Amino acid sequence: MDIIETIKEQIANNTILLYMKGSPNAPQCGFSARASQAVMGCGEKFAYVDILQNPEIRANLPKYANWPTFPQLWVAGELVGGSDIMLEMFEKGELQTLIKDAAAKAKASEA
């Protein structure tokens, strides 16, 4: 499978997906640390991809997403943005609403 197909599949199969450096419990950069804290603060399960362990994704996702930096948060198949956007949304309560609504829809469609 080519890398763009892999990325599309990851985004399609995970309602809440964070592409980051490291893992939520061991982030490898400050931006990823703040982003993962914001997402964890929303109280829903989420998937993540460590781009340091996946150099092909690291190289190709910015072109696919038309977003040059990491971390990247995807919710319900849509790019939300990077850490600055996530933190701004979190402070306004918008990120929590977005993530909780997406998680509720995903659970309802599984039932």
Side-chain angles (χ1 to χ4, degrees):
M1 185 184 306
D2 100 324
I3 195 64
I4 297 300
E5 289 304 313
T6 300
I7 290 168
K8 286 180 183 175
E9 199 171 274
Q10 288 172 338
I11 292 167
N13 292 338
N14 295 286
T15 304
I16 304 158
L17 177 60
L18 182 63
Y19 287 96
M20 63 180 292
K21 293 178 180 175
S23 70
N25 295 326
Q28 299 294 309
C29 83
F31 295 108
S32 289
R34 288 188 291 278
S36 60
Q37 286 297 315
V39 176
M40 286 190 280
C42 295
E44 295 292 339
K45 288 185 179 172
F46 66 97
Y48 75 92
V49 174
D50 179 356
I51 59 158
L52 299 176
Q53 302 294 320
N54 296 278
E56 278 193 90
I57 289 174
R58 186 179 187 177
N60 288 280
L61 183 61
K63 293 178 214 137
Y64 173 76
N66 202 19
W67 190 266
T69 58
F70 293 98
Q72 289 186 16
L73 177 64
W74 292 76
V75 177
E78 298 290 321
L79 175 63
V80 174
S83 63
D84 291 347
I85 291 170
M86 284 182 252
L87 290 174
E88 190 177 301
M89 288 178 70
F90 185 81
E91 286 167 10
K92 293 178 181 172
E94 295 169 357
L95 189 64
Q96 296 88 322
T97 302
L98 177 71
I99 285 179
K100 286 191 184 305
D101 288 354
K105 281 184 190 146
K107 286 177 189 146
S109 70
E110 288 170 10

